[in-house]
């Protein structure tokens, strides 16, 4: 098959830039510690208040010493809406919603979860710096969307 020289150059540049793009994306995700989501966990959105661990939301310590924070999202706030966590300890955030789609986002970190009715989303994070972190909802969820926030205080 005869191929024009320009066609060969065009194909080489096209395929080459695709390979470069995938390598850059792969290294970037690896360097930033991005992970694929874990298994699917379901919950009845109407029974969130009665389903453990969301019947008693908040911070708790698991048997292996890991900290777990169970958070319920709803229009237009999070329960609990303020928690205190010690610095340098691994914390697993479990989030669900009772009503519409929200998000759980800690700006400046790689914690950025969509919170969809019927599902439980989890992400671990270790705070390396003490201070106050503002959690915001970045999925438009209604008239009070801009008011939806939560605070995490990380102590030394
Ligand atoms: Cu919840 Cu926007």
């Amino acid at each position: 098959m005869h191929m024009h020289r320009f066609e060969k150059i065009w194909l080489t540049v096209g395929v080459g830039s695709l390979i470069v793009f995938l390598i850059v994306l792969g290294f970037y995700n690896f360097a930033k510690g991005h992970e694929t989501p874990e298994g699917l966990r379901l919950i009845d959105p109407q029974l969130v208040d009665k389903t453990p661990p969301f019947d008693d939301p908040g911070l708790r310590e698991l048997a292996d010493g890991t900290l777990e924070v169970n958070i319920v999202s709803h229009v237009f706030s999070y329960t609990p809406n303020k928690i205190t966590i010690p610095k340098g300890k691994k914390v697993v955030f479990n989030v669900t919603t009772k009503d519409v789609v929200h998000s759980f986002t800690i700006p400046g970190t790689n914690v950025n979860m969509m919170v969809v009715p019927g599902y439980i989303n989890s992400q671990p994070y270790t705070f390396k710096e003490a201070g106050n972190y503002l959690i915001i909802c970045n999925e438009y969820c209604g008239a009070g969307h801009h008011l939806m926030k939560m605070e995490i205080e990380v102590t030394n």
Side-chain angles (χ1 to χ4, degrees):
M1 186 178 75
H2 175 74
M3 257 188 171
H4 194 276
R5 193 167 58 93
F6 286 164
E7 209 171 1
K8 278 186 191 157
I9 293 171
W10 178 242
L11 276 173
T12 310
V13 170
V15 172
S17 54
L18 185 68
I19 290 168
V20 168
F21 169 75
L22 289 174
I23 289 172
V24 168
L25 197 69
F27 275 108
Y28 176 81
N29 287 343
F30 182 75
K32 288 282 179 182
H34 290 185
E35 288 169 23
T36 50
E38 36 181 282
L40 191 64
R41 282 178 302 154
L42 304 173
I43 186 168
D44 183 338
Q46 297 190 323
L47 297 176
V48 167
D49 287 336
K50 295 187 180 90
T51 311
F54 298 103
D55 55 343
D56 182 23
L59 179 73
R60 74 169 83 181
E61 189 166 356
L62 301 178
D64 65 356
T66 312
L67 293 176
E68 177 184 79
V69 187
N70 299 303
I71 297 155
V72 178
S73 318
H74 41 92
V75 286
F76 296 102
S77 117
Y78 298 96
T79 304
N81 71 5
K82 183 162 190 200
I83 51 166
T84 304
I85 295 173
K87 163 180 124 172
K89 239 183 147 190
K90 185 179 168 189
V91 187
V92 179
F93 292 97
N94 301 316
V95 195
T96 192
T97 168
K98 294 205 283 191
D99 37 53
V100 297
V101 175
H102 301 280
S103 97
F104 183 83
T105 306
I106 312 177
T109 72
N110 63 359
V111 179
N112 185 9
M113 292 184 270
M114 201 167 178
V115 188
V116 181
Y119 297 89
I120 300 169
N121 249 331
S122 295
Q123 197 167 348
Y125 191 70
T126 305
F127 289 95
K128 293 182 187 86
E129 305 270 338
N132 288 310
Y133 292 78
L134 184 67
I135 310 314
I136 52 168
C137 177
N138 66 11
E139 288 292 332
Y140 182 72
C141 52
H145 162 69
H146 61 288
L147 302 171
M148 189 161 168
K149 60 179 168 55
M150 173 185 171
E151 211 183 313
I152 297 178
E153 188 189 354
V154 179
T155 55
N156 274 305

